[in-house]
Amino acid sequence: MRDLGNSDNELTEEKWQAILDNDSSFNDIFFYAVKTTGIFCRPSCKSRAPKKENVLIFKNANQALSANFRPCKRCKPTGERLPDEVWISQITKYIDSNFHDKLTLQTLADVCHGSPYHLQRTFKRVIGISPNEYIEHTRINKAIELLIHTNTPIATIGLAVGMKNTAYFVTLFKKKIGITPNEYRILHNDGGL
């Protein structure tokens, strides 16, 4: 008999190791959720290992659902398939909150528990643009807010929205908006700068 701790909902070392090892023998014993993604999984899920401090333990899927966690698209902890629209909504929320980080198709697939190929196809079908185009759109919109409402230098704005290369930031901005970030700032200065 396994010693799973005093509480069914406690993250013991044994449960943590089961998550790290994707141990299917624990699948009927507990589920785990990741606070930063809002997703819950079976211990056997092959998704990227979460940070230990972000993990919550549940004794069943209904507990996780009641705590407003969504089922993983990869391991299907409720036995049901997550609708594509719900899955893509998870991904867009993640992008909206993490646009300043390096975001790749693989990163998004890992975080939202799917394959990069399926993510690319499904995202484009549901949203109408690729994940990369959505990321660019989000970054440009955040840059516009900073250009209008701050005196922050252009290079710093680029960094703040996840673009380390200033020349690339300026080029992308001009391609998407039609003018450079500096020209945009001059045209849309709200008088408060």
Side-chain angles (χ1 to χ4, degrees):
M1 181 74 177
R2 294 187 170 117
D3 175 22
L4 298 175
N6 296 333
S7 168
D8 287 338
N9 292 18
E10 180 183 338
L11 178 58
T12 63
E13 280 307 311
E14 187 176 17
K15 288 177 185 173
W16 177 240
Q17 197 57 52
I19 293 167
L20 294 177
D21 294 341
N22 309 116
D23 190 339
S24 61
S25 68
F26 283 82
N27 278 353
D28 294 326
I29 297 172
F30 75 93
F31 293 82
Y32 74 93
V34 182
K35 292 185 266 187
T36 53
T37 63
I39 296 171
F40 75 98
C41 299
R42 300 173 189 271
S44 64
C45 189
K46 302 287 187 195
S47 62
R48 185 175 61 174
K51 290 182 180 176
K52 189 175 183 179
E53 63 268 18
N54 293 329
V55 172
L56 296 174
I57 300 297
F58 296 98
K59 60 183 169 188
N60 59 51
N62 285 334
Q63 256 189 357
L65 289 167
S66 294
N68 294 318
F69 286 97
R70 297 173 305 279
C72 171
K73 187 146 177 106
R74 183 175 284 175
C75 71
K76 300 177 182 76
T78 60
E80 299 171 8
R81 187 175 176 277
L82 183 66
D84 288 341
E85 292 74 16
V86 174
W87 186 49
I88 296 305
S89 175
Q90 292 173 1
I91 295 165
T92 58
K93 285 177 187 168
Y94 184 83
I95 292 169
D96 292 345
S97 299
N98 297 280
F99 63 88
H100 43 76
D101 295 335
K102 181 178 180 185
L103 296 176
T104 65
L105 200 55
Q106 185 64 56
T107 304
L108 294 174
D110 287 346
V111 166
C112 293
H113 304 196
S115 76
Y117 175 75
H118 183 64
L119 167 61
Q120 175 79 9
R121 276 191 15 234
T122 307
F123 197 100
K124 188 151 188 163
R125 184 176 50 75
V126 172
I127 301 293
I129 58 176
S130 72
N132 191 51
E133 290 171 308
Y134 185 87
I135 292 165
E136 288 176 349
H137 178 77
T138 302
R139 288 176 171 166
I140 294 299
N141 284 340
K142 298 298 180 181
I144 285 171
E145 288 177 28
L146 293 170
L147 287 166
I148 292 173
H149 301 295
T150 73
N151 278 326
T152 305
I154 302 299
T156 306
I157 290 175
L159 285 172
V161 299
M163 294 189 226
K164 294 179 181 167
N165 182 320
T166 303
Y168 175 73
F169 168 58
V170 171
T171 302
L172 180 65
F173 192 96
K174 186 170 184 178
K175 178 182 171 191
K176 298 286 185 186
I177 303 301
I179 56 178
T180 67
N182 197 45
E183 291 168 336
Y184 190 92
R185 174 177 270 162
I186 291 167
L187 278 173
H188 295 86
N189 186 331
D190 65 6
L193 300 178

